[in-house]
Amino acid sequence: MSHRMNGVRSRRVVVDGCTTHYLEAGDGPPLILLHGGEYGAAAEITWEHCLPALAARHRVLALDFVGYGHSAKLRDFGGQRRLMLRQVTGVLRTLGIDSASFVGTSLSGRMLLDVANGPAPVWPIRRMVVAGIGLAAPAAEARKALEDFDGTLEGLRPSMEVLFHDPSRRDSEDYLRRRYGFAAIPGAWETAAAANLRSPIRRGDNRTHVRPPARDYGGIAVPTCLIRGEHDRLVPDGTWRELAAQIPGARTVTVAGSGHYPQIERPDAFTAAVLDFLDSPDSEGS
């Protein structure tokens, strides 16, 4: 665990036979941190620079999704995101958390939006910060660089170009090797790569070519803050602003000098934006 994470406790909980690893720090109102979905993603490497400041005011829990970090390496071929939804729901229920603020980025940001937009949210979202997501799907060329990973250190390098803008992070051999360490945990690559498997029974299924319906997040009723890195290659500014226009009362924050992951490249600015939102009276849920 990073030397910057003094006072952070590494914990595990088993719910419905699934082991979830999470980091916990601080006291106060619960704050749930969820990471992205690229190879090498994990709670520690995503939130290590933000945890100390957030934990000064909140009880922070940063979860490793199933398939990532030190959580169980399981795959639900009927729907991996549904498995992740059930995982988080079960962990919060087991820990007795019936209301919390959430921060999600990239994959988990989309999950937060979808959950909060539903008629009966399965997560107890009081308010949420969503980073690295626009109305449209991530830019295809950049997304492909994240998805094409052959399991080697060099194979992970192109993703650094996509995720980061600051050369001190983008070109860091130390950080690349740390990210690779999480991608190399037994079962991590296999769990993620299984998403590319296609049953021969459904190869001719034309439903895969049907254009998905346009997203509409107008049903979100919880206070929401949207954060985007100024140089995010996955989320163009236009589609990010289209998303903000759909969510009633959404606050928007652009983090200068950052790419897709401002919580890693510009953690002080990111954390300040999160705390300012969480502490503001107008972010209180009903």
Side-chain angles (χ1 to χ4, degrees):
M1 192 177 295
S2 169
H3 67 279
R4 290 180 56 119
M5 299 176 70
N6 293 333
V8 178
R9 300 171 293 279
S10 175
R11 300 194 184 282
R12 285 174 171 80
V13 61
V14 180
V15 181
D16 298 329
C18 175
T19 298
T20 294
H21 171 262
Y22 65 97
L23 303 174
E24 183 175 15
D27 295 300
L31 175 60
I32 312 302
L33 307 182
L34 302 173
H35 61 73
E38 77 281 357
Y39 286 96
E44 178 181 333
I45 207 165
T46 301
W47 300 113
E48 59 187 340
H49 302 296
C50 299
L51 264 166
L54 294 174
R57 306 189 198 178
H58 298 269
R59 177 192 178 193
V60 181
L61 297 95
L63 278 61
D64 281 336
F65 275 127
V66 62
Y68 292 87
H70 302 294
S71 288
K73 304 301 182 286
L74 301 175
R75 184 89 204 176
D76 183 344
F77 287 96
Q80 188 69 358
R81 290 199 187 189
R82 286 195 295 272
L83 176 58
M84 293 175 176
L85 287 169
R86 294 195 302 271
Q87 174 199 13
V88 175
T89 302
V91 168
L92 298 183
R93 182 184 67 246
T94 300
L95 297 180
I97 297 174
D98 56 12
S99 178
S101 299
F102 285 73
V103 182
T105 181
S106 200
L107 166 72
S108 62
R110 179 70 70 195
M111 293 173 69
L112 276 171
L113 291 171
D114 290 340
V115 168
N117 197 46
V122 294
W123 294 347
I125 304 172
R126 181 180 180 185
R127 49 199 172 178
M128 64 183 184
V129 177
V130 174
I133 282 294
L135 187 61
E141 183 177 351
R143 185 176 72 247
K144 189 173 187 298
L146 297 181
E147 294 173 347
D148 293 344
F149 173 52
D150 61 5
T152 67
L153 180 68
E154 286 304 309
L156 196 61
R157 193 178 300 276
S159 69
M160 301 282 281
E161 294 281 338
V162 172
L163 294 175
F164 304 114
H165 172 74
D166 188 333
S168 68
R169 182 64 63 187
R170 185 186 67 216
D171 302 332
S172 170
E173 288 297 314
D174 177 66
Y175 188 80
L176 173 64
R177 291 180 181 279
R178 287 191 66 214
R179 183 171 286 276
Y180 180 73
F182 281 99
I185 291 174
W189 184 89
E190 293 87 341
T191 305
N196 295 319
L197 293 176
R198 293 292 179 270
S199 166
I201 298 171
R202 285 185 287 276
R203 281 178 183 165
D205 191 341
N206 290 327
R207 288 177 297 176
T208 60
H209 304 291
V210 176
R211 185 174 181 177
R215 291 187 169 100
D216 180 1
Y217 289 111
I220 293 178
V222 298
T224 302
C225 177
L226 302 176
I227 298 180
R228 176 182 179 270
E230 179 186 15
H231 305 284
D232 192 336
R233 291 181 55 189
L234 285 155
V235 183
D237 183 70
T239 187
W240 180 66
R241 296 194 179 279
E242 289 174 349
L243 171 63
Q246 285 195 353
I247 302 174
R251 179 186 296 195
T252 57
V253 178
T254 299
V255 177
S258 168
H260 189 58
Y261 278 159
Q263 78 277 6
I264 297 174
E265 288 187 277
R266 296 290 184 267
D268 291 344
F270 182 89
T271 303
V274 171
L275 290 175
D276 181 66
F277 171 70
L278 296 181
D279 292 343
S280 63
D282 59 356
S283 77
E284 291 294 331
S286 58

